Amino acid sequence: MATVTRPAVLDDAHVGDIQGAFGSISADDTAARSTLSGKLKTLLAVVGPGLIVMVGDNDAGAFATYGQAGQDYGTRLLWTLLLLIPVLYVNQEMVLRLGAVTGVGHAKLILKRFGRFWGMFELVDLFLLNTLTIITEFIGITLAAGYLGVPKIIAVVFAALIIVATAFTGSFRTFERIAVALCAGSLLLIPLYFMLHPSAGQMARGFATPVLPGGSGGMAGVMLLVIGIVGTTIAPWQLFFQQSYVIDKRITPRFISYEKADLWIGIAIVVAGAAAVIGTAAAAAGHTGAAGHFTDVAGLAHAIAAHAGKVAGVLFAIALLDASIIGAFAVSLSSSYAIGDMLGMKHSLHRGAGSAKGFYALYTALIVVSASVVLIPGAPLGLITEGVQVLAGVLLPSATVFLLLLCNDRAVLGPWVNRRGTNIFATAVVTALITLSIVLTASVVYPSITAGQIIAIIAACVALAALAGVAMLAVRWAGHRRRIAGHDDTAATPEALAETLAEDAAEVADKMTWRMPPLDELPAPVITGARRLGLIGLRGYLAIALVMVVVKVVETAIAH
């Protein structure tokens, strides 16, 4: 496989030296990192994309979801966090690989490889969902500020200015340093955890024992909360953000191993933070009247202060404020990157506002509009928060499906396509996400849904997935038999085998420099009958689910 010398990178700002928060790597630096010191310096220069996307995921919505889990169910849902670790890694590893190898954003790849309908569908839905998500970040800012005694309008305006100014530096390194400093604010949850000192034994049992506890909402209530934990931890914006941020940081295939380490650091922090919030909430609400009666994160802050003192409540509010700000600029960048990539606009934090006007104008508009909505008297903020969770649940399966298809597209990733084990696991993840999406949609449209009905939905989805899996295996086995029947015995000669081994060795040597060619030079993707049928089914499900959810949201808004 020949090295690609003209990659598909759309913006020349995305090519050059890596200028990270903790170091730089020259574009022409091809030296091997053989010493521990050299590897550590390289890792410090690369660190950023995985850390920011993961810490940004522990945002205002996550604080509310984890806080509710801890306050209503104690530490008994901690085990769900362990299940999310491999899912987070596999999903985000695939997008960082796509970014490093292709140099093209996620939305653009979907548009070019699956057509205008899916490209625009993913972009419009991402834009809508991200805007609603940013509004929830400002809701978190107002709740934290309210607890700290800061007037709403002052808190919202000041936070908006910080979020906008962070991106407007015109320097990627400066932006990343500010972002990493804000990420460090999430570490406030560690001293807070020890101030409330939840039972170590209960925490250990929560991680080790998978249970679905009952409660005020019954089995249906706890199952929906578990789905909420999944939805708030794995969000569509993450896929688009990390792929574009990896590109903007100028990460190339030779640094993928370091970027994977960066991702693991981020996952460790996000899981530790989530566990700290659940443990803190459990300790604060345990054996009090607040247990089982979660209202919002402001109420949780008061419960923490009542249990461990005013300083603890203040620490929680500051951590919430910090998390909301990180979430707001990460989600805003996700939209700005995606639209800039799709429309061919200059879209890089390496550029100043003067040379990337559209990119920065869109980023600013998202922040201003979202902040303004929060300040509107009587705005249905609770409805918006619920809508974000539902839309994220509905749209995530489609985003993950396209991610999996792109990572198996050899024209796009060449020698970097998924391995069989990754495909098996990712397929199982997609199946689980679609199942949870259907349950979440049904629960919104039919609030009185019972635990038995939820279990029936899950069983039906598992059965359909099993049938689909058997059908796929049968098709592949038939194809394998046909290849054997038409097998040419000369292909197994020593000379042929030696040639194959030589080609494999050349591919491995070439892998670190392989980049996707320009999109217009790629062969058209092969759409098999099974794939076409699957995409039609996905389109139908999304259409039905979105219509049902929108109707329900409108009915709820009218009722209030």
Side-chain angles (χ1 to χ4, degrees):
M1 182 177 294
T3 301
V4 174
T5 57
R6 190 168 73 91
V9 176
L10 300 178
D11 192 330
D12 57 8
H14 297 152
V15 180
D17 299 346
I18 295 175
Q19 299 173 358
F22 303 115
S24 301
I25 302 175
S26 173
D28 57 6
D29 179 3
T30 58
R33 270 63 175 175
S34 56
T35 66
L36 180 60
S37 174
K39 292 177 180 179
L40 181 59
K41 288 179 180 178
T42 302
L43 175 61
L44 288 174
V46 170
V47 160
L51 174 65
I52 295 171
V53 74
M54 287 292 98
V55 175
D57 186 47
N58 263 1
D59 59 357
F63 265 62
T65 303
Y66 300 141
Q68 182 180 358
Q71 185 168 331
D72 289 355
Y73 300 104
T75 59
R76 288 172 289 178
L77 292 179
L78 281 171
W79 58 273
T80 58
L81 301 180
L82 296 182
L83 296 181
L84 292 176
I85 291 174
V87 178
L88 281 171
Y89 177 76
V90 169
N91 272 15
Q92 295 304 129
E93 187 277 333
M94 285 194 285
V95 289
L96 76 84
R97 187 162 20 107
L98 278 171
V101 175
T102 69
V104 175
H106 204 63
K108 186 79 170 184
L109 285 177
I110 293 174
L111 172 71
K112 293 296 185 180
R113 302 306 286 172
F114 300 101
R116 182 172 299 277
F117 171 85
W118 284 114
M120 295 308 298
F121 179 89
E122 290 291 318
L123 185 64
V124 171
D125 283 346
L126 176 75
F127 186 79
L128 173 62
L129 178 59
N130 282 4
T131 302
L132 294 175
T133 302
I134 299 167
I135 293 174
T136 66
E137 308 299 358
F138 277 100
I139 293 173
I141 288 168
T142 61
L143 292 174
Y147 179 84
L148 296 171
V150 179
K152 176 189 286 190
I153 188 168
I154 293 177
V156 169
V157 171
F158 185 66
L161 289 174
I162 290 176
I163 295 166
V164 171
T166 299
F168 269 69
T169 62
S171 165
F172 185 94
R173 169 172 286 171
T174 301
F175 168 85
E176 188 164 271
R177 284 176 173 171
I178 296 172
V180 171
L182 288 170
C183 288
S186 65
L187 299 178
L188 288 173
L189 292 171
I190 296 176
L192 177 65
Y193 175 86
F194 287 105
M195 289 174 71
L196 278 90
H197 51 81
S199 166
Q202 290 181 356
M203 293 290 290
R205 283 192 295 273
F207 276 116
T209 310
V211 295
L212 289 174
S216 58
M219 185 61 72
V222 71
M223 291 184 74
L224 292 177
L225 183 57
V226 169
I227 294 171
I229 292 173
V230 174
T232 196
T233 309
I234 307 168
W237 71 263
Q238 296 172 290
L239 307 180
F240 292 83
F241 173 84
Q242 189 174 13
Q243 185 164 333
S244 291
Y245 196 81
V246 163
I247 296 167
D248 206 7
K249 188 158 183 177
R250 301 164 176 171
I251 304 295
T252 58
R254 62 189 298 260
F255 298 111
I256 281 182
S257 60
Y258 293 96
E259 186 49 47
K260 289 180 181 179
D262 172 39
L263 177 59
W264 276 118
I265 293 171
I267 290 174
I269 292 175
V270 76
V271 172
V277 173
I278 292 175
T280 296
H287 309 295
T288 70
H293 300 286
F294 178 82
T295 54
D296 56 33
V297 284
L300 179 56
H302 285 290
I304 289 172
H307 180 77
K310 186 176 181 179
V311 173
V314 169
L315 278 179
F316 181 80
I318 293 175
L320 170 62
L321 182 64
D322 177 80
S324 301
I325 291 174
I326 296 172
F329 74 61
V331 177
S332 299
L333 274 177
S334 173
S335 293
S336 301
Y337 275 139
I339 294 175
D341 199 52
M342 285 278 285
L343 300 182
M345 298 189 305
K346 294 178 179 178
H347 55 292
S348 172
L349 293 170
H350 288 283
R351 297 183 180 276
S355 62
K357 295 183 178 66
F359 173 71
Y360 286 103
L362 178 60
Y363 178 88
T364 304
L366 283 168
I367 298 300
V368 171
V369 169
S370 302
S372 300
V373 169
V374 174
L375 295 176
I376 297 174
L381 301 182
L383 193 62
I384 291 173
T385 302
E386 181 181 355
V388 167
Q389 291 180 336
V390 176
L391 283 174
V394 170
L395 297 177
L396 182 59
S398 68
T400 309
V401 165
F402 287 115
L403 172 61
L404 182 58
L405 293 176
L406 285 171
C407 285
N408 282 280
D409 190 337
R410 190 164 290 277
V412 169
L413 280 184
W416 291 97
V417 291
N418 276 359
R419 296 178 179 178
R420 180 178 298 177
T422 302
N423 281 332
I424 293 173
F425 183 82
T427 301
V429 168
V430 169
T431 302
L433 291 177
I434 291 175
T435 302
L436 295 179
S437 173
I438 293 172
V439 171
L440 185 58
T441 303
S443 70
V444 172
V445 178
Y446 305 104
S448 60
I449 190 171
T450 66
Q453 290 169 331
I454 290 176
I455 293 173
I457 292 174
I458 293 175
C461 290
V462 170
L464 288 174
L467 288 174
V470 170
M472 289 178 61
L473 288 174
V475 170
R476 290 192 175 186
W477 176 249
H480 178 65
R481 293 295 300 270
R482 285 194 297 270
R483 286 192 297 272
I484 292 177
H487 179 66
D488 183 359
D489 292 336
T490 60
T493 63
E495 293 79 6
L497 291 174
E499 183 178 350
T500 300
L501 290 173
E503 290 175 354
D504 290 344
E507 181 174 302
V508 171
D510 208 34
K511 188 175 181 180
M512 293 303 170
T513 57
W514 196 93
R515 305 294 301 276
M516 184 185 78
L519 285 167
D520 57 5
E521 296 181 8
L522 298 184
V526 178
I527 306 296
T528 62
R531 177 173 295 186
R532 190 183 306 279
L533 185 61
L535 291 176
I536 291 173
L538 179 62
R539 183 185 299 189
Y541 161 69
L542 289 172
I544 294 171
L546 287 173
V547 169
M548 293 173 68
V549 167
V550 169
V551 169
K552 187 63 180 181
V553 169
V554 171
E555 288 179 351
T556 305
I558 293 174
H560 288 79

